[in-house]
Amino acid sequence: MFGDDFQTSRLAIPAVSILIGFLAYTSQYFFLHFESVPLRKDEVWKINIFALCIWVCYFRSCYVDPGRLPASQKSANTSPEEKAHATRRQRWCRRCEAYKPPRAHHCKTCKRCIPKMDHHCPWTSNCVSHFTFPHFFRFLFYAVVGMGYLETLIWERASIVWGNRNLPSYLGPSVGQLSHLFLLFVVNSITVLTLFILLLRTLYSVLFNVTTIESWEIERHETLVRRARVLGGYLEGPGGQKIRIRKQEFPYDIGIFSNISQAMGGTINIFSWFWPFATTPDHNSGWEFPINDFEGPGVTWPPPDPDRIPFPATKPSATESPGIQTYASAREEVEAFNRRQLQDMNRRRPFSNVQRRKRFHDRVQQLDKNESDDERQPGPIYGDDSDDGEESWRNADGERLRDFGVDEDVEFYDEDDIPLGVLMEQRRQAQ
């Protein structure tokens, strides 16, 4: 969905700005010189008011800080009630080396965990998050309404030109005006249709309080439930452990009005939902969210996913002797060194690359061999462009997790329930 080309991303904001300027201002120039239906005063006001709203909302979508975890929140603030539920899973970001709050995701472009991250938008060069989502929604709303109004004005002029098509050419607009009208019609129609579809998708997110990343997670969870239903309710995790998979409801849908209020900055003031100069949500918010009562206490989102658990560290074989090895010849010693080097390359490196599991269907074919993850060789280490591992799973729209702009190595393999102190100690030992 989103390109990784840095030069292209730098041109996104200027390109959108040129598009806004072309539709908002060259259309007025055309209307002023269209003699059959000259631009009326109320039309001038409406076009420019819509254009101002679009400019303000787009600017704020691009340049408002999407948020960062405060220093005081680097470790989880666990309440006595939460401590009583030992099954509650806490996520830790291996990139930020900090507690990952609920609904936060690590953006590979912003290089930090973003609160309630929806996606990294290439057209704003910014993350759509808890803090920027209200501005992004208002930008889409005013863009669709403004260009929809412009479409009616263009249609009015185009219908007159079509109705007078049999008249002599000198009685109608010039070739330049016709070309300009045609270009305005094509560009505005395609843009407003595209943004209208995006607005509907965003409106769905607002009504049900679900981000695009969480929609992906919901589809992923439904896939796991179907797989587990065929395999007796359990799926195999790394090391051969059996993990029970059950249907889990999305916890953040708390009612339509509350969902809208939370998405639009936490205010119940309906006027401020559409006010372009509305204040950005408080940056101390966005790290905790109310949940519904469909699931019991201690249940977290996303649900457990066996394929998102990294391989356990390779254990030394029981046949390996801790003493000094002796060899009959130099060639035998070199061969033994090469074997150890190959084992080191296949061993999991906890803070660099992640050894990913093979695709589910490839692993199912190995079940007849009665091999566990400890007995079979771990899969190779893939790069970001690989489609060979389970992390390449795609939803119904063909999107994988990295397509939303997140760091897939961190986000797909985020099932490490490791306290931050232990994580830091492991890093010191690795160094």
Side-chain angles (χ1 to χ4, degrees):
M1 181 192 296
F2 305 120
D4 294 327
D5 190 339
F6 177 72
Q7 296 298 329
T8 302
S9 65
R10 291 185 60 184
L11 297 176
I13 295 179
V16 173
S17 301
I18 291 174
L19 177 62
I20 296 173
F22 170 75
L23 293 175
Y25 303 117
T26 68
S27 61
Q28 295 184 64
Y29 176 82
F30 169 80
F31 295 150
L32 287 171
H33 295 82
F34 188 77
E35 297 179 355
S36 300
V37 185
L39 192 63
R40 295 176 284 271
K41 183 178 296 186
D42 63 317
E43 294 175 341
V44 175
W45 279 103
K46 291 177 182 177
I47 292 176
N48 285 283
I49 288 175
F50 283 133
L52 176 62
C53 293
I54 292 172
W55 281 120
V56 172
C57 295
Y58 182 66
F59 177 84
R60 302 185 78 182
S61 298
C62 295
Y63 296 106
V64 167
D65 188 353
R68 63 181 69 243
L69 184 65
S72 59
Q73 299 290 332
K74 289 293 183 181
S75 60
N77 296 324
T78 307
S79 63
E81 292 78 8
E82 292 176 338
K83 291 180 180 179
H85 303 293
T87 60
R88 183 177 180 86
R89 177 173 61 88
Q90 292 180 339
R91 299 186 302 161
W92 303 91
C93 180
R94 291 189 295 272
R95 292 282 192 268
C96 298
E97 297 181 351
Y99 163 69
K100 182 185 290 185
R103 314 188 78 178
H105 302 277
H106 191 95
C107 177
K108 64 183 178 183
T109 303
C110 300
K111 301 188 183 305
R112 64 179 185 268
C113 284
I114 303 297
K116 195 183 176 184
M117 178 179 173
D118 188 277
H119 67 280
H120 188 91
C121 180
W123 302 111
T124 62
S125 295
N126 198 11
C127 272
V128 179
S129 70
H130 174 73
F131 303 108
T132 60
F133 184 89
H135 308 308
F136 182 75
F137 178 81
R138 284 188 285 264
F139 163 66
L140 292 178
F141 174 79
Y142 283 112
V144 170
V145 173
M147 284 187 289
Y149 176 70
L150 180 62
E151 188 79 357
T152 63
L153 302 182
I154 295 175
W155 266 102
E156 181 182 3
R157 274 73 180 179
S159 62
I160 293 176
V161 173
W162 178 256
N164 297 333
R165 63 187 182 278
N166 295 322
L167 295 178
S169 58
Y170 63 85
L171 295 178
S174 63
V175 175
Q177 287 181 317
L178 289 175
S179 301
H180 192 183
L181 177 63
F182 178 77
L183 189 60
L184 284 172
F185 172 72
V186 172
V187 173
N188 191 74
S189 299
I190 294 176
T191 305
V192 73
L193 177 60
T194 303
L195 292 182
F196 178 70
I197 296 174
L198 182 56
L199 178 63
L200 291 181
R201 177 63 184 85
T202 307
L203 184 61
Y204 171 85
S205 298
V206 172
L207 295 178
F208 295 97
N209 200 13
V210 58
T211 66
T212 55
I213 296 176
E214 290 167 343
S215 295
W216 183 93
E217 293 172 340
I218 291 174
E219 287 194 49
R220 171 73 181 175
H221 177 57
E222 292 173 349
T223 299
L224 294 178
V225 171
R226 289 194 299 269
R227 292 176 179 176
R229 189 179 297 120
V230 176
L231 299 176
Y234 291 85
L235 293 178
E236 182 181 340
Q241 58 179 319
K242 296 293 184 179
I243 299 178
R244 183 172 182 270
I245 304 297
R246 67 174 185 86
K247 176 66 176 178
Q248 183 174 322
E249 298 295 335
F250 183 68
Y252 298 109
D253 185 358
I254 55 177
I256 291 181
F257 186 80
S258 297
N259 290 342
I260 299 175
S261 174
Q262 184 184 111
M264 299 307 294
T267 176
I268 61 175
N269 186 350
I270 299 178
F271 176 76
S272 68
W273 296 351
F274 301 95
W275 179 236
F277 298 94
T279 58
T280 301
D282 185 3
H283 275 257
N284 291 322
S285 64
W287 305 105
E288 294 181 359
F289 298 92
I291 60 176
N292 53 45
D293 297 327
F294 293 148
E295 301 289 344
V299 177
T300 58
W301 187 271
D305 185 342
D307 296 320
R308 296 175 69 168
I309 304 175
F311 274 101
T314 305
K315 299 179 181 179
S317 174
T319 59
E320 293 182 0
S321 173
I324 300 176
Q325 298 287 336
T326 58
Y327 304 95
S329 65
R331 180 178 180 180
E332 183 179 348
E333 183 176 0
V334 171
E335 291 176 351
F337 172 79
N338 291 335
R339 288 195 299 271
R340 292 195 302 271
Q341 188 179 47
L342 181 61
Q343 292 174 356
D344 290 339
M345 292 177 64
N346 288 332
R347 186 172 294 120
R348 179 189 176 201
R349 292 166 173 78
F351 298 105
S352 56
N353 294 321
V354 178
Q355 285 187 337
R356 304 173 169 106
R357 306 186 77 198
K358 296 178 181 178
R359 287 189 177 185
F360 174 77
H361 299 290
D362 294 336
R363 298 196 311 270
V364 169
Q365 294 177 359
Q366 296 178 343
L367 291 178
D368 295 336
K369 301 178 181 179
N370 296 321
E371 296 178 348
S372 66
D373 280 336
D374 290 334
E375 295 172 343
R376 65 178 77 123
Q377 291 295 325
I381 297 176
Y382 303 114
D384 289 338
D385 296 329
S386 173
D387 289 331
D388 296 328
E390 183 62 22
E391 74 280 3
S392 65
W393 182 88
R394 299 176 183 273
N395 61 10
D397 296 325
E399 298 164 330
R400 57 189 289 180
L401 193 58
R402 72 181 183 191
D403 294 330
F404 303 109
V406 300
D407 189 333
E408 194 173 64
D409 280 349
V410 175
E411 289 300 319
F412 192 83
Y413 299 97
D414 66 349
E415 295 282 336
D416 281 333
D417 191 7
I418 304 176
L420 183 59
V422 176
L423 195 67
M424 297 294 290
E425 180 63 25
Q426 290 180 355
R427 172 174 281 275
R428 285 193 291 269
Q429 292 177 359
Q431 293 176 345

